[in-house]
Amino acid sequence: MSVTTPDELPKGRPLALKLGRDDLMMRGFILVIALYLIITLAFPLYAMLSKAFSAFHFDLSQIELQVSDAEGNFDGTILSAAALNEKLGTIPEDEIATSSDGRLGLTPLFPDFSFRSPVLYKIRGTTDDTVYLVGSDRITGTEWREVDSNTFRRIVLRPVKSVGLSNFTTYFSTPSLFRSIENSLFISIISTIVTVSLAFGFAYALSRSCMRLKGVFRLIAMAPILVPSLLPGIALVYLFGNQGMLKEVMMGESIYGPYGIVMGSVFFTFPHAFIIITTALAISDARLYEAAVSLRASAWKTFWTVTIPGARYGLISAAFVVFNLVITDFGLPKVIGGQYNMLAVDIYKQVIGQQNFEMGAVVSVVLLMPAFIAFAVDRQVQKKQVALLSARSVVFEPKPDRKFDRICFAYCSLIAIFIVGILAVCQFAALVKFWPYDLSLSLKNYNFDVMDGGGWEAYGNSIKLGLLTAFFGTIVVFIGAYMVDKTRSFRTGRGLFQFLAMLPMAIPGMVLGLAYIFFFNDPANPLNFLYGSMAILVIVTITHFYTVSHLTAVTALKQMDGEFESVAASLKQPFYKLFARVTVPVCMPSILDIAIYLFVNAMTTVSAVVFLYSTDTALASIAVLNMDDAGDVAPAAAMGMMIFYTNAAARIIHLAVSKGILKRTQAWRRR
Amino acid sequence: MVQIKKLTLATVAGLFVANSVMATELTVYTAVEAEDLKRYAEEFNKAHPDIKINWVRDSTGIVTAKLLAEKNNPQADVIWGLAATSLLLMKSEGMLEPYAPKGVEKLDKKFVDKSTPPTWTGMDAWVASVCFNTVEGEKLGLKAPTSWKDLTKPEYKGHVIMPNPNSSGTGFLDVSSWLQMFGEEGGWEYMDALHENIARYTHSGSKPCKLAAAGEIPIGISFAFRGAKSKAEGAPLDIIVPEEGVGWDMEATAIVAGTPNMEAAKTLVDWTVTKEANVMYNTGYAVVAYPGVAKPVEFFPENLLEKMIDNDFEYAANNRKAILEEWQKRYDSKSEAKS
Amino acid sequence: MPTEATLEKNTGEAQPWDAYLQIENLWKAFGDFIALRDISLSISEGEFVCFLGPSGCGKTTLLRAIAGLDIQTRGAIEQAGKDISNLPPAERDFGIVFQSYALFPNLTIERNISFGLENAGLSKAAISARVKELLELVGLPDQGKKYPAQLSGGQQQRIALARAIAMSPGLLLLDEPLSALDAKVRVHLRHEVKDLQRKLGVTTIMVTHDQEEALSMADRIVVMNHGVIEQIGTPTDIYREPETLFVADFIGEMNKLSATVSGPGRVKIGSKEFVASGNGFSEGEDVIAAIRPEDIIPHGDTTTEHMAEPENAITCRITEMEFLGSFWRCRLESETLGSTELIADYSINAVRRLELAANKDLVIEIPSNRLKVFPRPTDEI
């Protein structure tokens, strides 16, 4: 007979483990890296949000006026500008609300005003810090100031700051601004449909046929990842612009606009969709196909009942990833968008063109929404896909089928020609002396130093940024992932960390960059010194690409035996010894993957850094943008191709190093 | 004896001062073309080897944005070569230190801020022009336009590109000059008509001319300097100065209020109004602030100077926001509806 | 901490503590789910104890609490007279072996074993001597330079064991160490582990769900179910004298018969009254009477009435016979018992001697001291 045991847990607090040195160190690391993410992500975003809500308006109640008669005598009546306007209503509400650089003249308050009239005016502020301008001269204080009519028309008010929704009201009442939402959604949806369909066909052909040159096709499909997203835009100008090699294809339609954006978007998002769909197709179960064959199902039916459902999560995931990439991309629509406004470009226009930071923040908030939703859906679907993965087993082996293989080959060749063609056109454009008038070849366009954009120094900076980002980013990401995966208990801290680590994926680069201005350029911020330095570029790049790196690291760590830490603890060994001796060597392939991912992205990113670079830290990708912007399209193409070659070289080095390291340190993998 | 003694003392003191300012470094914000900067610094250092210039260079919009963003924590000591309209904006924010550089009185009045003491001084003018690609024009059977009004003719439909005033200083310069020349109403009417012919608006001011140079479009509304450069590179361009007159902006210089290096900043600004400096500006710009200095610049249209309108910078600065809003309302949304 | 290499058995001098490992009123809750419920247990020095139970019974949770890997919610653990209730694993004194071996894949066998020795104040020579000694001890003297992946599963687990005992811990924890191995290797390793443990005299706790493993290796078995200890005892105790129906059922085969208490030491099964062991039941109570298949005594067929009616004897018919290698398993039916089927295991000898075959009748005896009575669980029919 067992002794009867009590049902309820005895009252009292749960026992807590006395924290050992390791625990304290690991928690310390988590906190440090979480703090890093809070400072480089949460705080800037908060600063941006508060900027979006910091509105500007003209405060008429700060101004008092006196008007003389025709002879220039004042009777002493003091008029409040606010009261005047209330009576007359000549300055409507939507003019009272403005942005930081708004100016308001006072003449509408006097309907019979004429600058030729002999009437004199007196003006003063009601508070010591009231500011108004006479022409461009700044007047403060409560002194009465007498001016003649001609001067009075030159008096303008400056806006004062307050907190409110008026920026949003302005945004949604400005058709040219909020139409961008529609445009952005439209372009993103079209690009998503096209890219995912094309990438699916490509991945399908690669995984289900026995055609030749599969390796080459795979390589080509990945090439667009190595260039900035705006490079295809430049190639499209050379192909389909008014002097384009193939402009007849456009049948009179302009490439500057939706056509160009969609074509370029398909190019630069293709590899992303391709990878995801390939993975999804790779996990479908060969037994289902055998079953379909034995049931004499037609190929068509098999495709719709086996292939598509099997790959559905991959397709959905690819769709949302592509959607997110397109809607947040800034470089491409900037280069080839023409008059077609999109959200990401609006941010740039507001901030750089009009110095309207508040409106830039508002557009950022708007852009955050679809990006966030796409991100959330993708995460959900990814989880389901993983579940599918573990349940499946037999790998599908395609059998040769002449006709089918030929069709696949033809299809893949078309796509490959498109991709290679875009790159080849850029390279060609870079080498031509003066398109289209002087087609002789020269290296003139590589003389970056005489162009705007930063010259060869920018290229050097980009490599520096790439290396620094890869080095520090990999360390931060991998240590962070290790700590969050291996720390015992400390659930709140780990949860917060996980959230912070996933967040960057939902934040468009433009938004992050803008948020950094608001946060780091605040003189009250002790980190202000980072602003304008290479360090801030490294930080923003690491943060921007944190999520994928983090997930790569976590996946690698999860594949390791979870009991290593327990064994090390039982052997009285500190975690860092285990980390250095076992974890890092075993995860080395993934660590190198993270490093190359960060390097390549640091070389190509535009959106996250466009607000943050300084003259000393101009970057190659920014130079492409600026040179194109200045009309130096050929040099822009040349610089873009330099980025491509650098990244390709980095990939090759990565491959060689990976192999070398694998050989040396991973001897244990060989049986 | 006394004289000599004084002199020696002065020399010694001067040496001492020179030594102490040796370490002075000035952070100078500028929008001057990158290729000119090195030359500017070299020329300046010939006269003042004791001051080192650290350039922070970017396009007008970005430098302006940067300065405004740093309003409460200025990083720059001096602004040397930024659009006057931008400097006016900064002046109204109280960001500039009023200072009359030595010799300012020799400059053309047009190029000096009217306040006393002035907060900024101009260097050179940056004048609007139309770039016309003769090869493409011929292909399309287009005659070269001679006036702004010409550009609204139906034959040019879809063949004109201009910068978007919301993102380009050149674009704004054009718009504000039209409003001044044709009056508020006439100006907007003109732009309504012009808009019908515009293929698209670019983000940068030099791009229309470069696009015209590359034959991407026959007519680009840009500025003369850019056109001359492209022509020098061999582009089949005509640089046209519309007969109604052309808008212009100037590159100007100012001291940033609150600079810890006031003495060095003054030294620099003093130098920027000298004749030598103006000769230096003349290499790129046909119109400079120091009268009588300018020599014709290759490929620059000859009648440019007389066609420059009497630009009211104050009007442009104080109405900038309203003009841009109106422009955006009229053309940004309309052009989208088309596509 | 060992100061010198020693593998000698503990001399067993008197220690100041009563039990080497003392667990008192231990609880473990995961949110609302209570995984361990008021566990108290003491283990003597040098003892080999098995935690046995079905998956989810809390045995691994208990082991991890002892190791400090997942701390208990309530309760105290004392090891060698020292309260270790809330010490982190690194400050406790144990070696551990996991089902997955958890060998560091990128380190050679030698370096795996020496991982914990390296900063224990030993010289290089001493470490290498110790590693050699351990490799010999686990019977793999020549494998030191290889990587784990180059060894078989059984070999890897021996290395894991060598690594766990390298620092001569006071307590050896084995978490299902043999479960991932082939059946043959498993049986072989059982003996090796047990021998090693005996040689070293190290107090050992092994978690397993394999009753054979527990019965053959343990000095004492702790049978657990639903987070509580059902019974603690030697293997024979557990097998012969199960204290609960769960233990009776979980370990070995058991015929479970619905019965009603008909008097002191008597139960009624079907239409017949049996003498049984088990007290404390009131008359008329519904109970389960249980008997192991090998405890049912066969008395040949009904025609050979050489004996006066034995106690608890009934006549059955053999419905089916199944040959299981070393014995026969017979299914018996009896009108007396109603629809309930009995299983009886008979040696090959007995089957031959009694000429047992399917469809033959057979008189069997259910010895009263082997017929155990347990309260009938409420959720069982």
Side-chain angles (χ1 to χ4, degrees):
Chain A
M1 288 257 76
S2 70
V3 188
T4 43
T5 49
D7 283 342
E8 292 287 320
L9 200 65
K11 288 212 167 54
R13 300 185 58 190
L15 222 60
L17 211 57
K18 185 180 140 225
L19 296 178
R21 190 189 45 181
D22 276 14
D23 297 296
L24 289 173
M25 280 176 74
M26 291 173 88
R27 285 175 189 212
F29 268 111
I30 287 204
L31 288 178
V32 166
I33 296 179
L35 196 67
Y36 169 85
L37 284 173
I38 288 173
I39 290 174
T40 62
L41 188 66
F43 284 174
L45 286 176
Y46 176 77
M48 192 202 69
L49 280 179
S50 54
K51 198 76 174 179
F53 290 100
S54 80
F56 286 86
H57 70 277
F58 297 109
D59 189 357
L60 290 174
S61 66
Q62 282 189 348
I63 296 294
E64 286 179 349
L65 300 156
Q66 293 184 47
V67 192
S68 77
D69 56 23
E71 275 75 48
N73 302 317
F74 291 94
D75 63 0
T77 321
I78 296 175
L79 305 162
S80 154
L84 268 179
N85 191 42
E86 210 162 290
K87 203 165 71 193
L88 297 167
T90 38
I91 305 173
E93 199 54 44
D94 63 331
E95 274 180 40
I96 294 285
T98 181
S99 62
S100 60
D101 59 348
R103 299 286 184 266
L104 179 72
L106 294 172
T107 50
L109 294 176
F110 302 95
D112 46 359
F113 173 84
S114 156
F115 68 91
R116 292 194 181 85
S117 102
V119 172
L120 299 180
Y121 294 84
K122 277 187 181 176
I123 179 168
R124 71 163 183 188
T126 55
T127 61
D128 283 335
D129 48 1
T130 305
V131 178
Y132 58 92
L133 307 175
V134 179
S136 58
D137 292 322
R138 188 184 157 87
I139 316 290
T140 52
T142 53
E143 291 272 307
W144 281 109
R145 191 183 177 91
E146 191 179 304
V147 293
D148 59 23
S149 285
N150 196 27
T151 311
F152 184 69
R153 70 170 170 146
R154 293 175 55 217
I155 290 181
V156 288
L157 298 191
R158 283 172 72 264
V160 295
K161 199 170 154 182
S162 60
V163 172
L165 283 167
S166 76
N167 292 328
F168 288 90
T169 327
T170 313
Y171 180 84
F172 286 103
S173 58
T174 313
S176 62
L177 283 176
F178 77 79
R179 182 153 306 140
S180 296
I181 301 179
E182 207 179 287
N183 288 352
S184 276
L185 289 175
F186 174 74
I187 290 286
S188 304
I189 289 169
I190 299 288
S191 305
T192 302
I193 293 171
V194 177
T195 308
V196 171
S197 319
L198 291 177
F200 178 80
F202 200 82
Y204 186 79
L206 279 180
S207 66
R208 295 296 143 83
S209 83
C210 289
M211 64 182 180
R212 284 174 305 149
L213 299 181
K214 276 187 185 178
V216 177
F217 283 135
R218 202 163 282 139
L219 216 59
I220 291 173
M222 299 307 295
I225 267 185
L226 306 180
V227 300
S229 63
L230 44 83
L231 198 68
I234 293 175
L236 290 173
V237 170
Y238 279 98
L239 282 172
F240 305 112
N242 294 340
Q243 295 294 334
M245 310 165 188
L246 305 170
K247 72 169 174 189
E248 292 74 19
V249 179
M250 295 298 293
M251 292 186 291
E253 290 291 337
S254 171
I255 190 72
Y256 300 101
Y259 289 102
I261 307 178
V262 169
M263 281 163 94
S265 296
V266 169
F267 175 85
F268 91 87
T269 58
F270 188 83
H272 299 272
F274 169 67
I275 297 171
I276 297 170
I277 296 172
T278 303
T279 317
L281 285 175
I283 60 168
S284 47
D285 196 336
R287 289 172 302 185
L288 292 176
Y289 288 89
E290 282 158 15
V293 170
S294 69
L295 290 169
R296 292 171 199 280
S298 69
W300 184 246
K301 194 165 179 195
T302 311
F303 180 80
W304 285 106
T305 52
V306 179
T307 309
I308 292 288
R312 68 185 182 280
Y313 292 131
L315 288 171
I316 296 171
S317 175
F320 280 100
V321 166
V322 171
F323 179 88
N324 214 343
L325 283 170
V326 175
I327 204 164
T328 60
D329 182 55
F330 149 74
L332 187 65
K334 173 94 183 359
V335 167
I336 200 144
Q339 286 327 101
Y340 199 77
N341 287 343
M342 287 181 65
L343 287 170
V345 184
D346 280 353
I347 299 178
Y348 183 81
K349 279 207 283 192
Q350 289 296 332
V351 171
I352 301 294
Q354 305 181 30
Q355 293 95 49
N356 191 343
F357 293 95
E358 290 74 23
M359 196 51 81
V362 169
V363 185
S364 296
V365 172
V366 172
L367 182 56
L368 267 179
M369 306 290 167
F372 238 103
I373 293 167
F375 165 76
V377 174
D378 179 51
R379 289 307 307 162
Q380 284 308 311
V381 171
Q382 290 271 355
K383 273 184 201 157
K384 287 191 179 157
Q385 162 125 30
V386 171
L388 208 62
L389 182 67
S390 45
R392 300 287 166 117
S393 52
V394 184
V395 179
F396 181 84
E397 289 284 349
K399 292 176 194 69
D401 172 343
R402 265 230 174 132
K403 196 173 135 210
F404 178 69
D405 290 351
R406 247 184 235 160
I407 295 172
C408 286
F409 188 80
Y411 175 79
C412 290
S413 301
L414 274 180
I415 301 268
I417 287 168
F418 170 68
I419 293 173
V420 174
I422 293 272
L423 292 172
V425 163
C426 281
Q427 186 54 73
F428 176 67
L431 290 172
V432 164
K433 207 166 186 182
F434 200 108
W435 178 267
Y437 302 111
D438 183 353
L439 295 187
S440 59
L441 299 183
S442 89
L443 288 175
K444 169 183 108 84
N445 292 324
Y446 284 85
N447 196 2
F448 299 132
D449 285 341
V450 302
M451 329 244 178
D452 285 350
W456 279 103
E457 198 193 327
Y459 175 70
N461 282 339
S462 263
I463 291 183
K464 207 159 112 196
L465 174 69
L467 293 174
L468 288 171
T469 304
F471 182 75
F472 289 107
T474 310
I475 291 175
V476 169
V477 166
F478 193 76
I479 291 181
Y482 179 79
M483 297 304 157
V484 82
D485 196 49
K486 304 297 182 195
T487 304
R488 282 194 306 268
S489 57
F490 197 41
R491 228 181 267 155
T492 335
R494 286 161 60 199
L496 171 77
F497 191 95
Q498 274 293 6
F499 175 76
L500 286 172
M502 296 312 294
L503 195 57
M505 196 166 224
I507 311 292
M510 296 291 288
V511 178
L512 195 63
L514 189 58
Y516 269 43
I517 301 188
F518 296 142
F519 181 65
F520 286 101
N521 197 28
D522 179 352
N525 186 341
L527 294 169
N528 179 262
F529 68 92
L530 286 173
Y531 191 71
S533 67
M534 179 58 96
I536 201 170
L537 297 181
V538 174
I539 290 171
V540 78
T541 312
I542 293 174
T543 308
H544 188 196
F545 299 106
Y546 199 96
T547 307
V548 173
S549 316
H550 177 74
L551 290 175
T552 310
V554 167
T555 309
L557 288 166
K558 288 253 184 271
Q559 282 167 358
M560 297 201 20
D561 195 312
E563 305 295 4
F564 284 170
E565 279 66 28
S566 309
V567 168
S570 80
L571 295 173
K572 316 270 181 290
Q573 298 306 309
F575 80 93
Y576 50 82
K577 180 178 168 189
L578 178 74
F579 181 75
R581 291 270 303 275
V582 179
T583 315
V584 170
V586 171
C587 292
M588 196 41 91
S590 299
I591 291 176
L592 290 173
D593 285 349
I594 295 172
I596 188 75
Y597 168 82
L598 288 173
F599 180 86
V600 166
N601 277 300
M603 287 295 292
T604 58
T605 187
V606 172
S607 57
V609 291
V610 72
F611 294 133
L612 299 174
Y613 73 96
S614 66
T615 329
D616 295 336
T617 58
L619 299 172
S621 53
I622 301 288
V624 177
L625 181 81
N626 285 346
M627 286 194 283
D628 174 82
D629 201 25
D632 295 321
V633 185
M639 184 66 100
M641 289 310 287
M642 286 309 297
I643 295 178
F644 171 72
Y645 294 128
T646 310
N647 276 336
R651 278 257 173 216
I652 291 167
I653 292 170
H654 167 250
L655 208 69
V657 170
S658 294
K659 276 209 172 141
I661 285 183
L662 271 179
K663 219 179 218 171
R664 207 154 45 78
T665 68
Q666 316 249 337
W668 51 272
R669 282 189 200 270
R670 281 170 306 185
R671 284 245 166 197
Chain B
M1 272 303 277
V2 176
Q3 282 283 326
I4 295 171
K5 214 174 181 180
K6 254 188 188 162
L7 227 159
T8 334
L9 262 177
T11 323
V12 171
L15 275 174
F16 182 70
V17 170
N19 274 334
S20 70
V21 272
M22 227 3 187
T24 313
E25 295 193 9
L26 286 178
T27 303
V28 179
Y29 280 27
T30 182
V32 169
E33 303 264 323
E35 54 185 297
D36 292 331
L37 284 184
K38 246 183 230 157
R39 206 158 44 81
Y40 283 22
E42 272 166 25
E43 290 288 327
F44 171 68
N45 282 340
K46 270 186 207 161
H48 300 277
D50 47 340
I51 297 172
K52 186 175 178 287
I53 294 179
N54 292 325
W55 296 110
V56 173
R57 199 214 87 85
D58 223 309
S59 67
T60 308
I62 293 174
V63 174
T64 310
K66 207 169 158 64
L67 281 160
L68 285 173
E70 294 166 357
K71 189 164 88 181
N72 298 318
N73 181 31
Q75 305 292 310
D77 296 306
V78 173
I79 302 165
W80 184 13
L82 187 65
T85 32
S86 293
L87 287 178
L88 275 167
L89 203 62
M90 275 151 224
K91 182 186 173 191
S92 65
E93 298 290 345
M95 290 166 65
L96 304 180
E97 182 76 27
Y99 172 65
K102 283 185 200 115
V104 67
E105 63 282 353
K106 289 182 192 146
L107 296 186
D108 184 338
K109 289 271 172 307
K110 253 200 275 188
F111 284 85
V112 183
D113 181 22
K114 291 183 181 64
S115 306
T116 25
T119 47
W120 52 264
T121 46
M123 301 152 55
D124 45 53
W126 169 41
V127 191
S129 286
V130 175
C131 294
F132 179 72
N133 186 314
T134 48
V135 175
E136 298 304 315
E138 202 172 315
K139 264 193 222 164
L140 295 162
L142 297 178
K143 263 192 293 183
T146 58
S147 67
W148 290 120
K149 296 272 184 206
D150 273 359
L151 291 178
T152 60
K153 287 183 183 161
E155 59 189 283
Y156 296 117
K157 192 170 175 64
H159 297 316
V160 185
I161 280 185
M162 74 168 280
N164 184 332
N166 270 307
S167 47
S168 152
T170 313
F172 180 69
L173 174 159
D174 292 324
V175 171
S176 80
S177 73
W178 293 327
L179 289 172
Q180 290 179 54
M181 281 187 292
F182 306 140
E184 288 259 350
E185 233 165 83
W188 288 115
E189 265 168 34
Y190 171 72
M191 282 184 266
D192 287 345
L194 182 64
H195 179 68
E196 292 303 310
N197 285 353
I198 297 280
R200 65 199 153 90
Y201 298 94
T202 62
H203 295 294
S204 95
S206 54
K207 197 170 187 179
C209 197
K210 289 197 181 167
L211 289 174
E216 187 63 20
I217 199 84
I219 302 169
I221 300 175
S222 184
F223 52 97
F225 170 61
R226 184 63 255 166
K229 262 196 169 169
S230 291
K231 198 167 176 179
E233 281 163 18
L237 283 186
D238 268 356
I239 301 156
I240 295 163
V241 182
E243 57 195 20
E244 294 96 331
V246 285
W248 58 283
D249 200 341
M250 61 185 126
E251 295 194 295
T253 305
I255 298 175
V256 177
T259 167
N261 302 312
M262 187 56 85
E263 280 316 305
K266 283 182 176 169
T267 312
L268 173 60
V269 171
D270 285 347
W271 189 80
T272 62
V273 302
T274 58
K275 197 171 169 184
E276 298 89 79
N278 277 272
V279 169
M280 179 180 80
Y281 304 146
N282 189 218
T283 353
Y285 294 85
V287 186
V288 297
Y290 204 101
V293 163
K295 290 197 195 79
V297 173
E298 197 190 11
F299 298 117
F300 247 69
E302 278 162 21
N303 58 344
L304 196 60
L305 194 55
E306 57 236 47
K307 289 293 180 192
M308 278 164 63
I309 63 163
D310 187 12
N311 202 358
D312 183 351
F313 290 106
E314 197 180 286
Y315 163 83
N318 283 344
N319 292 289
R320 184 170 170 274
K321 167 90 182 160
I323 294 171
L324 290 179
E325 260 173 17
E326 180 66 21
W327 191 92
Q328 198 174 30
K329 207 156 70 193
R330 282 172 185 255
Y331 311 121
D332 235 9
S333 46
K334 200 170 152 195
S335 60
E336 275 158 31
K338 236 175 16 181
S339 51
Chain C
M1 283 290 208
T3 44
E4 60 184 76
T6 167
L7 295 171
E8 287 317 303
K9 186 171 171 152
N10 212 309
T11 43
E13 319 156 11
Q15 301 289 358
W17 56 79
D18 299 334
Y20 181 73
L21 191 75
Q22 185 79 43
I23 296 168
E24 274 161 29
N25 307 100
L26 200 81
W27 292 73
K28 174 76 186 179
F30 295 104
D32 285 342
F33 174 72
I34 294 186
L36 291 176
R37 201 180 279 277
D38 204 34
I39 302 285
S40 294
L41 174 69
S42 58
I43 294 170
S44 322
E45 183 154 26
E47 213 178 355
F48 193 125
V49 172
C50 273
F51 294 170
L52 176 66
S55 58
C57 72
K59 56 190 191 298
T60 297
T61 311
L62 182 54
L63 187 88
R64 293 182 72 87
I66 293 169
L69 299 172
D70 285 315
I71 191 173
Q72 68 276 15
T73 318
R74 301 277 189 287
I77 304 175
E78 212 171 83
Q79 183 183 0
K82 184 175 148 202
D83 183 12
I84 59 162
S85 304
N86 65 349
L87 289 187
E91 290 174 32
R92 302 187 185 201
D93 178 19
F94 69 95
I96 192 162
V97 174
F98 292 101
Q99 181 180 354
S100 62
Y101 327 135
L103 291 177
F104 306 131
N106 62 323
L107 302 183
T108 60
I109 299 306
E110 279 176 353
R111 313 220 53 178
N112 259 288
I113 296 175
S114 66
F115 195 83
L117 297 168
E118 281 160 8
N119 42 4
L122 295 176
S123 69
K124 261 199 174 155
I127 292 175
S128 119
R130 173 79 175 156
V131 169
K132 195 163 168 250
E133 188 183 10
L134 286 160
L135 280 172
E136 274 164 15
L137 192 68
V138 295
L140 297 167
D142 309 322
Q143 312 285 342
K145 301 287 178 215
K146 288 188 176 167
Y147 287 99
Q150 293 166 311
L151 301 186
S152 72
Q155 287 174 320
Q156 289 191 52
Q157 198 55 298
R158 285 187 230 191
I159 300 301
L161 192 62
R163 183 178 63 182
I165 59 175
M167 299 176 70
S168 309
L171 183 62
L172 181 60
L173 303 177
L174 310 171
D175 186 4
E176 307 241 8
L178 309 176
S179 305
L181 303 171
D182 296 342
K184 265 229 168 103
V185 181
R186 193 152 61 200
V187 173
H188 182 69
L189 259 184
R190 268 185 213 163
H191 296 291
E192 289 203 10
V193 172
K194 180 67 189 163
D195 284 352
L196 195 67
Q197 188 267 341
R198 216 173 271 144
K199 207 191 276 176
L200 301 177
V202 57
T203 313
T204 302
I205 299 172
M206 180 170 90
V207 161
T208 181
H209 63 270
D210 180 339
Q211 38 158 317
E212 255 183 62
E213 213 166 277
L215 291 171
S216 65
M217 294 171 80
D219 296 331
R220 274 199 302 159
I221 295 176
V222 176
V223 185
M224 299 179 65
N225 189 32
H226 292 312
V228 297
I229 295 179
E230 294 273 341
Q231 188 174 357
I232 306 174
T234 62
T236 37
D237 278 352
I238 298 279
Y239 191 83
R240 302 291 294 174
E241 305 294 340
E243 284 173 6
T244 67
L245 181 60
F246 170 79
V247 176
D249 196 26
F250 185 70
I251 292 167
E253 288 286 325
M254 189 63 94
N255 290 298
K256 290 184 291 176
L257 308 163
S258 296
T260 316
V261 178
S262 53
R266 302 185 78 82
V267 289
K268 195 173 177 195
I269 306 171
S271 56
K272 187 174 163 67
E273 198 169 69
F274 291 85
V275 182
S277 59
N279 288 311
F281 298 99
S282 48
E283 203 171 317
E285 192 178 338
D286 285 337
V287 292
I288 297 283
I291 176 109
R292 295 206 182 274
E294 68 270 25
D295 286 339
I296 298 174
I297 302 168
H299 283 291
D301 60 37
T302 40
T303 50
T304 53
E305 287 180 39
H306 64 280
M307 219 174 131
E309 172 103 340
E311 195 187 38
N312 290 357
I314 50 170
T315 305
C316 299
R317 170 170 286 259
I318 302 172
T319 55
E320 202 185 312
M321 285 184 69
E322 191 183 357
F323 182 54
L324 290 177
S326 51
F327 62 90
W328 285 90
R329 173 154 294 176
C330 305
R331 294 179 184 279
L332 309 174
E333 262 179 27
S334 166
E335 277 170 28
T336 335
L337 298 178
S339 61
T340 317
E341 192 185 55
L342 273 181
I343 290 171
D345 291 344
Y346 294 128
S347 71
I348 295 166
N349 273 336
V351 169
R352 196 179 299 139
R353 183 165 44 81
L354 298 170
E355 295 172 344
L356 300 184
N359 296 321
K360 272 184 89 169
D361 284 347
L362 174 69
V363 174
I364 55 163
E365 181 194 336
I366 297 176
S368 60
N369 64 335
R370 307 260 37 96
L371 185 61
K372 306 283 175 192
V373 179
F374 300 102
R376 192 184 302 183
T378 41
D379 55 345
E380 219 163 293
I381 313 126

